[in-house]
Amino acid sequence: TEERQVLTHLFLTGPRESGETPSLAALDQQLESLLRDSIRGLSEMTDLRFFHLESQIWRHTGQHLSAWELLTKTHVWHAQWLLWQDRLGEAGQMAKRALRLEEQQESPRPHWFRAGHAYATYLVDGAKRADPRRGVKYIQDCLPLARWPETEAWMQHNLATYLARSGQPALAISCTQRAGVAANRSGNISAIRNAHCDTAAIL
């Protein structure tokens, strides 16, 4: 009943009544609104909102190349939200979908690594028995693509986490040191603060 009400009053009014699909700019704004709600911890009907948004963006993919980028970004954040909900299996599948779309691009974009993080989490903890070695291998394969210092710092921390969990503390500490260097190179205050916190967690 609640889902029907949401579809009727939130999504199926306005442009849909005339048979029109909202513009990409309008759909981008819907994603931003959905992200704000997700980050604030609101979860009511979030799955439905993501799926509906993805279906609306899909209508544009046959005509606009930029629609593919927006669809990929939406999949990435859908995967992130599922990860926040501890729904690892679903997060892994959604992240994989985003990664497949991103592979069609000439070069990775920063949000690609959020999908990589979700997929690595799924590889490590998604099965009945955790296997951090799978995360180590996956992150090591991804690191050469980390062309932004903030992203490099984040990936190095992920690698450090999986190395520590797999019983390799010395290598984990080395990764946190590289993460700190990358974060400082970025000049991003949030990245630097996060690097300090991540290093403390590993120590």
Side-chain angles (χ1 to χ4, degrees):
T1 301
E2 291 85 355
E3 290 181 343
R4 291 192 183 93
Q5 290 175 348
V6 169
L7 285 169
T8 300
H9 299 293
L10 184 59
F11 297 125
L12 300 185
T13 57
R16 285 296 297 273
E17 291 178 345
S18 60
E20 298 177 3
T21 301
S23 67
L24 282 176
L27 294 172
D28 191 23
Q29 288 299 313
Q30 284 189 32
L31 176 59
E32 291 303 316
S33 175
L34 183 50
L35 293 184
R36 287 193 295 270
D37 289 345
S38 300
I39 292 171
R40 288 168 54 200
L42 301 181
S43 59
E44 186 176 3
M45 300 299 161
T46 301
D47 250 346
L48 184 60
R49 293 174 66 188
F50 267 116
F51 282 128
H52 184 268
L53 179 58
E54 288 157 349
S55 73
Q56 292 287 77
I57 298 171
W58 177 260
R59 296 168 182 258
H60 289 278
T61 56
Q63 298 176 326
H64 305 285
L65 291 176
S66 58
W68 289 104
E69 181 175 356
L70 182 58
L71 182 62
T72 304
K73 184 178 178 181
T74 305
H75 285 337
V76 169
W77 280 103
H78 195 172
Q80 177 66 80
W81 180 79
L82 289 166
L83 193 62
W84 286 337
Q85 303 299 307
D86 290 326
R87 293 161 58 180
L88 298 188
E90 295 165 275
Q93 293 304 313
M94 187 60 66
K96 189 175 182 179
R97 186 178 301 177
L99 293 171
R100 284 176 174 170
L101 288 178
E102 189 65 28
E103 287 173 357
Q104 300 175 21
Q105 304 299 319
E106 294 182 0
S107 60
R109 289 160 292 191
H111 61 246
W112 179 90
F113 294 94
R114 188 174 294 276
H117 167 68
Y119 190 64
T121 305
Y122 163 71
L123 289 176
V124 172
D125 295 312
K128 291 182 179 180
R129 183 176 181 180
D131 187 356
R133 294 172 300 177
R134 299 179 71 184
V136 169
K137 184 180 185 308
Y138 181 76
I139 297 298
Q140 286 175 334
D141 290 342
C142 292
L143 265 174
L145 300 175
R147 302 174 183 176
W148 303 270
E150 296 93 335
T151 303
E152 181 185 348
W154 188 21
M155 299 298 279
Q156 287 285 2
H157 167 67
N158 286 345
L159 181 57
T161 299
Y162 296 137
L163 285 168
R165 289 180 58 183
S166 62
Q168 303 179 73
L171 291 177
I173 294 298
S174 296
C175 287
T176 63
Q177 293 170 346
R178 288 193 290 272
V181 170
N184 289 331
R185 193 168 69 248
S186 75
N188 185 309
I189 295 176
S190 295
I192 294 170
R193 182 182 64 246
N194 290 340
H196 285 306
C197 293
D198 294 341
T199 298
I202 295 297
L203 289 172

